[in-house]
Amino acid sequence: MSSGPGAHSAPAPATHDSEAAHDSPRSSSMFSSLRIRNYRLFFLGQVVSNTGTWMQRIAQDWLVLSLTGSSAAVGITTALQFLPMLLFGLYGGVLVDRMPKRPTLLVTQTAMALTGLALAFLTLSGHVQVWHVYLAAFAVGLATVVDNPARQSFVSEMVGPGQLQNAVSLNSANFQSARLVGPAVAGLLITGVGTGWAFLLNGLSFVAPIAGLLLMRARELQVVERAPRAKGQLREGLQYVAGRPELIWPIVLVGFIGTFGFNFPVWLSAYADDTFHAGAGAYSLFNTLMAVGSLAGALLAARRGTARLRVLIAAALAFGALEVVAATAPSLWLFSLLMVPIGIFGLTVNVTANTSVQMATDPAMRGRVMALFMMVFMGGSPLGAPLVGWVTDAYGPRVGFALGGLVSMTAATTIGLVLARLGGLRVSLGWHHGHPRVRFVPRARSEEQLATAV
């Protein structure tokens, strides 16, 4: 698969599942990868677990805000959850390339379940303090260091390269579908019986993915040969990415957007509490409407046959611009409605970058490359969240939100121009069906891979 989106895997036994795994991406239906039994088990387990994860995320943010009254404290919680990814993310990728993916996921999922149950006990017993939440967030972050690259890499083992774009998109649709249910249930639990029950249900929800992993058929997995233990594997991974523009620039872009544009726990809780004075119900509403948009974006991505870099740049620009517009929204209803397109374009950025990077990466390097991808996307939060939280506390939610959007727009514009130059492209201004159109076109005929990707 190192040759990029057009690569094909080796022939597999002619079972119904393996045939589905090698469908051409362009001929795939929206849900084609669900024909594969192992991926179906994985998908169903994640439906349950992701719902619990969103319940805990909402409850955790609201609990910290209730205990401290500070948006900066919410930012610190977010930072602590993603700090391990920033510190140890690359080492997690090295471990994932060395270890079998399914047993690794059984360990990480169990660890996150125990963390949720411990936080539930502290909260329901009335002994919870803000440092307990900080510690739980950091513990989940440690498990995520290995869990994230393992899950990202395991998808290709379940479905093969022919269905990778579809499966990555459906994973995102799965996560965002849970985002529709989780915040709504969390809002009801918080206002009805308290945050502790949300933590308890999240801990119990991990039974589903663990059972799904145990029920999989190992013989149907397209297992990649594991990297042997050796010195210099971390440096090897970094050099591999640095020498490939089709990898390094999408990763740089999602790093900027993840650090400055995706601090929604800080902004949305502040908008609900300080700007519109509408409480936990409005916070859940904002997250639910963003999930509607994100789900729509994921399903649209599942229908696309390829992940092009020009789609990534355009989506990143639109995402940043919409954040700036939402920052100035004068009313609750208008701000709420803008969460839908923000969700669409934010999800498009994530899925397009994820798929393009995976499909341009050699399978033996995928754990390290995806660890780097997730490190810069999620690990930037320890740097961005406290800064954005401070700006939000000092100057108000509108300034904080607008700042995130402006940084995202600037990064998308700059990297778009860099990719265009590397790909031998130029800006073309013209008309299409009576409307103005701006696009990149080749300066001259070129056979370079990057020009094809863009």
Side-chain angles (χ1 to χ4, degrees):
M1 199 164 71
S2 59
S3 58
H8 298 281
S9 65
T15 64
H16 175 75
D17 284 350
S18 64
E19 288 170 1
H22 296 280
D23 287 345
S24 167
R26 289 189 181 278
S27 64
S28 296
S29 69
M30 185 178 289
F31 301 102
S32 57
S33 54
L34 288 175
R35 300 174 200 161
I36 302 164
R37 180 182 182 274
N38 284 341
Y39 180 69
R40 207 161 48 240
L41 288 168
F42 178 84
F43 184 90
L44 292 173
Q46 292 298 308
V47 167
V48 179
S49 178
N50 285 337
T51 302
T53 296
W54 274 109
M55 290 170 58
Q56 172 146 332
R57 184 169 296 184
I58 300 300
Q60 175 180 281
D61 295 339
W62 201 256
L63 176 61
V64 171
L65 195 64
S66 301
L67 291 171
T68 65
S70 169
S71 293
V74 178
I76 291 170
T77 309
T78 303
L80 286 170
Q81 186 156 334
F82 297 123
L83 181 62
M85 182 65 71
L86 180 65
L87 297 177
F88 312 118
L90 292 176
Y91 294 98
V94 171
L95 290 174
V96 166
D97 279 339
R98 292 176 181 171
M99 298 187 299
K101 308 299 185 292
R102 187 162 61 133
T104 300
L105 287 171
L106 285 169
V107 173
T108 57
Q109 296 282 294
T110 300
M112 288 190 279
L114 293 175
T115 302
L117 293 174
L119 193 55
F121 172 77
L122 288 168
T123 307
L124 291 172
S125 65
H127 294 100
V128 70
Q129 299 178 38
V130 70
W131 71 267
H132 293 143
V133 186
Y134 288 165
L135 183 62
F138 188 76
V140 169
L142 283 174
T144 303
V145 165
V146 175
D147 185 79
N148 260 336
R151 276 191 295 112
Q152 299 285 340
S153 303
F154 191 51
V155 171
S156 65
E157 293 191 7
M158 289 184 285
V159 305
Q163 291 291 342
L164 184 59
Q165 162 89 8
N166 184 263
V168 170
S169 300
L170 289 183
N171 281 350
S172 297
N174 184 331
F175 190 69
Q176 302 305 331
S177 298
R179 192 177 179 180
L180 290 171
V181 179
V185 176
L188 292 174
L189 289 173
I190 291 169
T191 56
V193 293
T195 55
W197 291 97
F199 300 139
L200 177 62
L201 291 178
N202 174 57
L204 296 175
S205 74
F206 283 95
V207 171
I210 291 170
L213 289 165
L214 292 172
L215 291 171
M216 287 182 183
R217 295 171 182 163
R219 66 181 182 275
E220 293 176 7
L221 294 172
Q222 301 179 43
V223 179
V224 174
E225 184 177 352
R226 300 199 300 272
R229 184 181 180 89
K231 292 183 178 180
Q233 289 177 318
L234 178 58
R235 183 174 62 254
E236 181 187 12
L238 292 174
Q239 290 173 342
Y240 179 84
V241 172
R244 290 163 173 78
E246 70 274 17
L247 295 180
I248 187 64
W249 290 111
I251 289 175
V252 169
L253 177 58
V254 298
F256 274 102
I257 291 179
T259 301
F260 297 102
F262 269 79
N263 290 289
F264 295 109
V266 177
W267 294 322
L268 300 188
S269 60
Y271 266 88
D273 197 43
D274 300 331
T275 303
F276 298 122
H277 308 290
Y283 184 45
S284 293
L285 174 65
F286 297 155
N287 281 278
T288 300
L289 288 173
M290 187 178 293
V292 170
S294 298
L295 176 59
L299 294 176
L300 289 171
R303 291 187 65 88
R304 285 198 299 271
T306 56
R308 294 187 178 273
L309 297 181
R310 65 187 179 204
V311 175
L312 172 62
I313 298 299
L317 274 170
F319 173 78
L322 283 165
E323 286 195 335
V324 174
V325 172
T328 64
S331 62
L332 174 65
W333 69 266
L334 181 58
F335 182 84
S336 300
L337 289 177
L338 284 168
M339 293 301 103
V340 176
I342 286 175
I344 290 174
F345 287 106
L347 197 283
T348 302
V349 169
N350 192 2
V351 168
T352 306
N354 186 311
T355 308
S356 65
V357 168
Q358 284 211 52
M359 297 194 75
T361 301
D362 187 287
M365 303 291 296
R366 192 171 291 126
R368 279 163 282 182
V369 172
M370 294 313 298
L372 178 62
F373 179 91
M374 298 307 297
M375 185 189 79
V376 300
F377 183 61
M378 300 173 61
S381 291
L383 304 175
L387 174 62
V388 167
W390 175 80
V391 171
T392 300
D393 278 342
Y395 301 102
R398 296 190 188 278
V399 174
F401 205 6
L403 176 64
L406 287 170
V407 172
S408 299
M409 288 176 64
T410 302
T413 301
T414 303
I415 292 171
L417 292 173
V418 169
L419 287 171
R421 184 175 181 83
L422 290 172
L425 304 179
R426 62 179 176 82
V427 177
S428 172
L429 305 176
W431 291 84
H432 182 69
H433 298 308
H435 298 286
R437 181 171 66 172
V438 181
R439 58 180 181 149
F440 292 111
V441 298
R443 287 195 178 95
R445 294 281 181 181
S446 173
E447 296 297 327
E448 292 181 6
Q449 178 184 0
L450 184 59
T452 302
V454 177

